Amino acid sequence: MKTTRLTVTKRPVETIDADLLVYCAAEEKNKAPLCDHFIKDPVEKAFNLEDFSGKAEEQLMFYPSSVNVEENIKARRILVMGMGKIEKEKKISKAFDLLRKIGGNMAKACEKTKAKTITVCLPAIQTLGPEKTAECFAEGMLLGDYRFLKYKEISKKKDDYAGLKMIRFACTKAVNSTRKGVKKGVVAAQAACEARDMANEPGNGWTSKEFADYAKTLARTHGLAYTCLEKKDMKKLGMGGILAVNQGSAIPPRMVILEYKPEKKSDTILLVGKGITFDSGGISIKPSSGMEEMKYDMCGGAAVLATMQAVGEEKPSVGVVAIIPATDNMSGSSAVRPGDIIRHFNGVTSEIVNTDAEGRMILADALAYGIKTFTPDCVVDIATLTGAVVVGLGHHYSGLMSNNDELTDRLICAGKDAGEPLWRLPLTKEYKKQIESKVADIKNVGGRWGGTITASAYLSNFVDKTPWAHLDIAGTAWDFTEKSYIPKGPSGIGVRTFLNLIRDWKKGGLT
């Protein structure tokens, strides 16, 4: 991933050299937009011509030499971004997302003009404060500036735009708070972009080995504890789920584990992410159309691993453990077959009705092992688990199922603030009855109806009484709701939600 330098400085900024200088303007009812005195004249002229009113995400671009501005201006272009009536925004999470969108639009404006350096004059938003304003802008700009060019060799040209090199935030006061906000935004955005990079890698470029190598590097860099269970370890432990999924593959499975322990005694959050590096469906093979997108089936694992990058940088007061069960799902000669019966780590037997319902099989072993080994205060798993969640919720909400109301509320709040909304679905005994098997304890599919919930019902057999939530991101891991800071490909969803959950965690766990 490319690196962009971010700095914070005090105003005035008119003498700072930049490809693009950005101001913000707030919409005023029947009046010219409220804006900085430096750009008041051109903004009022645009308002009188009905070209600009300061509405949310509205833009006005002009050039210093073309308007009545001070002669010592160094910026080559000036952009005014509309913020709408943000001071009157009742739902604070919507205000956060609006600022991220504005930041994303700034990045898009830079791409359009091929600007490599940008200076942003932070507006004073009383309801949010300088720290949160800077955090959201920084997140939106870095997420909006994202691009994956690793394999674009032939088309690379010297004049191709490669993204921003320098972002400078300028403020009149509260410099320390602004710096703190920028740092938080950078940590969250860079982690999400790392998750996007992992997902964009092809199936032959990101395997279980790459998951392990990346985790090992994070451990060395940030002082995390690293463990990797190899195939021989899984056999000794009786992890029949991940071993069965891996049977048709030439690449061995790995269960990658990272642990962060704060200095003082604390609660522990366990995160488990599905790491299917390519999903052919196995013997129950998928249709060929669109199968290339199944390299994204490891987005849950990417989210969990990238979260640990942010955890390593921020060193929160709560302990965090991440587990990524990683393998591909292929249809080799020894592949698991429909009708086979396997035994999971905790002894539960499962009839495999459909080999394309493999995600729950590897998560089951990881959940049971993680809970037994680390006795966490709560566990959240995240996975591109079912097509059924896309049918039910489209590409705008991730599905959430849980055995704990308080954990659910915390996740929903964390998701709202991240702009990654969650929708809770029921998980009752009626759905659990659908996965009962006549020949084993459970079966890995429960029929056509309620497929997202029955998949969650399967996982519920491996968490015992531990507070647990399952996030199904099959509809949001890619093709997520289009925003200026969300690309068409992998979204990196889950990383910033988890980071919010961790940052806001209060000692004492769940009541």
Side-chain angles (χ1 to χ4, degrees):
M1 187 183 75
K2 75 180 186 68
T3 56
T4 303
R5 188 182 172 199
L6 286 92
T7 63
V8 177
T9 186
K10 288 196 74 172
R11 294 187 62 180
V13 296
E14 284 70 37
T15 58
I16 294 176
D17 189 22
D19 293 329
L20 187 65
L21 175 60
V22 181
Y23 291 88
C24 293
E27 185 181 9
E28 294 274 280
K29 187 176 182 180
N30 300 323
K31 293 181 182 179
L34 186 65
C35 64
D36 190 279
H37 70 92
F38 184 78
I39 56 166
K40 189 174 182 180
D41 183 52
V43 167
E44 286 186 349
K45 286 180 181 178
F47 175 76
N48 292 332
L49 290 170
E50 299 183 355
D51 288 344
F52 182 78
S53 63
K55 290 181 180 178
E57 300 186 78
E58 199 174 30
Q59 300 180 31
L60 173 65
M61 176 86 77
F62 60 89
Y63 302 86
S65 60
S66 65
V67 294
N68 184 24
V69 295
E70 297 176 17
E71 293 182 0
N72 64 349
I73 186 73
K74 296 292 185 181
R76 282 166 278 287
R77 306 170 189 83
I78 296 177
L79 175 67
V80 185
M81 295 292 306
M83 296 193 300
K85 301 174 182 177
I86 197 166
E87 291 285 2
K88 297 180 180 179
E89 182 58 68
K90 294 180 180 179
K91 293 185 178 179
I92 200 74
S93 59
K94 286 189 176 181
F96 296 160
D97 210 46
L98 174 58
L99 292 187
R100 279 190 291 265
K101 289 175 184 176
I102 292 171
N105 280 325
M106 291 179 192
K108 295 296 181 283
C110 289
E111 182 177 17
K112 185 177 180 179
T113 59
K114 296 188 183 299
K116 296 179 181 179
T117 60
I118 181 173
T119 297
V120 181
C121 297
L122 282 178
I125 304 174
Q126 298 301 321
T127 53
L128 300 183
E131 182 179 329
K132 199 65 186 181
T133 300
E135 178 185 343
C136 292
F137 271 147
E139 265 190 40
M141 293 181 74
L142 290 177
L143 291 169
D145 189 49
Y146 175 80
R147 60 205 72 239
F148 185 76
L149 303 173
K150 181 177 177 180
Y151 297 100
K152 299 278 285 185
E153 295 296 336
I154 295 177
S155 64
K156 280 182 182 175
K157 298 177 183 178
K158 290 183 180 180
D159 60 346
D160 278 353
Y161 182 69
L164 281 162
K165 291 185 177 180
M166 163 72 83
I167 299 173
R168 182 184 290 109
F169 291 95
C171 54
T172 53
K173 53 186 178 179
V175 174
N176 288 336
S177 293
T178 301
R179 285 198 177 106
K180 187 177 179 181
V182 169
K183 185 176 180 180
K184 289 176 73 174
V186 169
V187 168
Q190 287 183 340
C193 287
E194 287 291 350
R196 291 174 180 177
D197 278 352
M198 294 179 212
N200 268 315
E201 287 283 357
N204 63 340
W206 195 270
T207 68
S208 63
K209 182 181 183 299
E210 280 67 37
F211 263 125
D213 290 345
Y214 193 96
K216 193 182 297 182
T217 299
L218 284 184
R220 284 198 300 262
T221 303
H222 300 295
L224 308 176
Y226 166 81
T227 307
C228 182
L229 300 181
E230 304 286 350
K231 190 172 184 178
K232 63 180 185 298
D233 303 313
M234 297 175 191
K235 288 181 177 179
K236 290 179 181 178
L237 292 167
M239 293 184 171
I242 187 170
L243 288 169
V245 174
N246 182 255
Q247 281 178 205
S249 174
I251 301 168
R254 292 174 174 87
M255 189 168 290
V256 179
I257 304 169
L258 281 177
E259 183 181 8
Y260 162 73
K261 283 184 178 181
E263 291 182 2
K264 295 182 180 179
K265 187 177 180 181
S266 69
D267 297 330
T268 299
I269 299 172
L270 172 61
L271 303 176
V272 179
K274 175 184 172 184
I276 295 291
T277 55
F278 185 81
D279 183 17
S280 71
I283 296 295
S284 308
I285 196 165
K286 292 178 180 290
S288 60
S289 178
M291 195 192 286
E292 71 279 1
E293 293 183 340
M294 288 302 98
K295 68 177 185 177
Y296 299 146
D297 212 20
M298 39 61 73
C299 284
V304 166
L305 192 53
T307 298
M308 294 307 288
Q309 173 177 303
V311 167
E313 291 179 17
E314 292 194 342
K315 301 292 192 296
S317 59
V318 63
V320 186
V321 178
I323 300 181
I324 303 100
T327 178
D328 51 5
N329 182 26
M330 303 301 287
S331 54
S333 59
S334 59
V336 66
R337 297 153 295 209
D340 285 359
I341 296 175
I342 65 167
R343 186 181 299 276
H344 282 292
F345 170 78
N346 66 347
V348 172
T349 59
S350 174
E351 178 189 5
I352 308 307
V353 176
N354 188 322
T355 65
D356 194 24
E358 84 300 329
R360 66 205 71 180
M361 295 163 63
I362 69 169
L363 289 172
D365 285 333
L367 286 167
Y369 177 81
I371 289 171
K372 182 177 180 180
T373 305
F374 299 101
T375 58
D377 294 271
C378 73
V379 56
V380 185
D381 75 79
I382 181 168
T384 51
L385 208 63
T386 67
V389 79
V390 189
V391 175
L393 299 176
H395 295 282
H396 311 299
Y397 278 76
S398 299
L400 185 158
M401 285 130 284
S402 178
N403 63 4
N404 186 278
D405 292 342
E406 186 180 348
L407 179 58
T408 294
D409 291 342
R410 291 193 188 193
L411 281 166
I412 288 174
C413 183
K416 275 184 181 178
D417 287 351
E420 299 178 344
L422 302 165
W423 192 267
R424 188 179 190 179
L425 297 170
L427 180 58
T428 59
K429 61 182 180 180
E430 291 83 4
Y431 295 102
K432 295 178 182 180
K433 191 173 182 62
Q434 286 182 232
I435 60 166
E436 291 178 358
S437 169
K438 293 181 178 179
V439 293
D441 295 324
I442 52 176
K443 56 185 178 181
N444 77 330
V445 292
R448 181 180 179 185
W449 310 117
T452 299
I453 304 171
T454 54
S456 186
Y458 188 95
L459 298 177
S460 70
N461 289 277
F462 304 92
V463 296
D464 199 18
K465 295 181 180 179
T466 302
W468 157 75
H470 161 64
L471 307 185
D472 193 333
I473 58 169
T476 53
W478 70 97
D479 290 339
F480 185 32
T481 306
E482 186 177 353
K483 300 179 185 180
S484 62
Y485 66 90
I486 301 292
K488 287 186 177 180
S491 62
I493 202 162
V495 176
R496 292 178 301 111
T497 294
F498 286 152
L499 194 52
N500 284 344
L501 178 72
I502 292 164
R503 284 170 171 172
D504 294 338
W505 193 267
K506 299 295 187 293
K507 189 175 181 181
L510 302 170
T511 57

